[in-house]
Amino acid sequence: MRIDILTVLPELLAGPLDHSIVGRARKAGLVEVNVIPLRNYTHDRWRTVDDYAYGPDAGMVLKPEPIFEAVEALQAEGAYDEVIYTSPDGELLTQPLTNALSLKGRLLILCGHYKGVDHRVREHLVTREVSIGDYVLSGGELAAAVMVDAITRLIPGAIGDETSALTDSFQDGLLAPPAYTRPANFRGWGVPEVLVSGNFPVIAQWQHEQALERTKRLRPELYKRYERGECDT
Ligand code: 6GU
C-alpha cells in the first residue's frame, strides 16, 4: 500500500510517522508513506501556495494551480484509489471507514489549511472528504497522521500479534475489555480473579461481558447500534 500526503507543513508530519507501529511498518516495506511538500509545485520565487479569498471574509485560501499540478504529476506514476481532503466538513473517520481505506492500494491525502482550499480542488480533484471529529484543527496534518496510523495498523504484519488489531475497541462495534499485567497485587489493588485462572473460555466470556458493560455505560449510542446489529466493520 502507498499513501502520499500533500502538505504545506511537511515538518508537522515527521515525528508521528517515523516511530512505533507506523515507523516499523514503513521500514518493513508494508506501507510506503511519502510526505510531499506542496511548495515543490510552485514556480514563483516566493513559492506561493495561497492567496486572498474572494469576497468579504478575511483569510487565505490554498491556490488551485500547485495542487492540480502536484496531484497530476503524482497520478502520472499511478492512479489513486482515493484523493482524500482533510476537512471538518468531511465524513467522520470511523473504524468501518478505516477498514475500507486499509484495503486500497494507493491513497493521496491532501491536507487542508488556513481558511481552506479553492473549492474547484474539492469539486474536481478530491474523491472523498474526511474529518477526524467535530472540532476544528489548525490544519489537516495531524488528521492525516491519525488516518495513516489507523490504516497502517490494519495491514497484515504491521502488528506483532496478528490477531491484536481484531481485538481493538470498535473492531466488533464494542469497546475493549480492561487489560492487566503483573504484579498481581499492586498497592493492595488486585487483578480480577478470572484473569489469573488460566481458564481461557471463561476468560473470553468475562472479557465479552466487560466489553458489553463498558460500551453500554460509556458509549450508549454505540451500544444501541451494536444491539441492532448495525456495526458494519
Ligand atoms: Cl480532517 N481537518 C481540520 N482542519 N479540522 C478537523 C479535521 C480535519 N477533523 C476534525 N477537525
Side-chain angles (χ1 to χ4, degrees):
M1 173 173 213
R2 172 170 157 175
I3 307 176
D4 294 344
I5 306 174
L6 190 60
T7 170
V8 292
L9 280 171
E11 302 83 5
L12 264 182
L13 283 158
L17 303 179
D18 290 341
H19 306 281
S20 188
I21 287 168
V22 176
R24 283 196 295 274
R26 291 174 76 186
K27 281 187 203 104
L30 297 174
V31 62
E32 178 184 345
V33 182
N34 303 303
V35 177
I36 300 148
L38 181 61
R39 285 185 206 282
N40 288 0
Y41 297 89
T42 56
H43 302 286
D44 64 310
R45 53 187 291 204
W46 302 278
R47 309 182 85 195
T48 310
V49 290
D50 58 358
D51 205 342
Y52 296 99
Y54 279 115
D57 295 338
M60 304 296 276
V61 171
L62 290 178
K63 293 161 62 65
E65 304 96 311
I67 297 173
F68 272 85
E69 187 177 323
V71 175
E72 281 161 4
L74 291 162
Q75 269 168 341
E77 298 170 28
Y80 290 110
D81 296 303
E82 299 276 6
V83 175
I84 297 168
Y85 176 60
T86 62
S87 161
D89 304 356
E91 174 186 0
L92 270 186
L93 186 71
T94 58
Q95 196 61 50
L97 176 55
T98 307
N99 292 347
L101 293 175
S102 78
L103 299 173
K104 309 277 185 185
R106 208 175 152 100
L107 300 175
L108 177 74
I109 304 176
L110 167 62
C111 299
H113 235 265
Y114 310 126
K115 275 237 118 179
V117 63
D118 187 282
H119 203 71
R120 289 163 289 192
V121 169
R122 297 167 72 171
E123 284 179 322
H124 303 296
L125 214 45
V126 166
T127 61
R128 190 157 209 158
E129 302 201 0
V130 176
S131 162
I132 64 163
D134 289 336
Y135 41 80
V136 178
L137 300 170
S138 308
E141 285 74 16
L142 298 179
V146 165
M147 272 184 243
V148 171
D149 184 292
I151 290 168
T152 299
R153 60 201 313 291
L154 298 172
I155 296 171
I159 294 184
D161 175 359
E162 282 280 344
T163 63
S164 67
L166 296 175
T167 61
D168 284 343
S169 277
F170 293 104
Q171 203 48 275
D172 55 4
L174 293 173
L175 303 184
Y180 293 86
T181 186
R182 287 180 290 187
N185 186 328
F186 173 68
R187 297 187 175 181
W189 300 309
V191 171
E193 199 76 28
V194 57
L195 286 180
V196 289
S197 70
N199 187 334
F200 291 106
V202 172
I203 292 174
Q205 178 60 31
W206 178 84
Q207 287 178 322
H208 184 61
E209 286 161 9
Q210 289 287 316
L212 289 170
E213 187 280 319
R214 289 176 62 77
T215 309
K216 197 171 180 175
R217 178 163 50 86
L218 301 171
R219 298 293 305 276
E221 77 303 337
L222 206 66
Y223 185 75
K224 278 193 205 104
R225 250 184 291 158
Y226 173 83
E227 265 190 318
R228 291 195 222 106
E230 284 173 9
C231 71
D232 50 342
T233 52

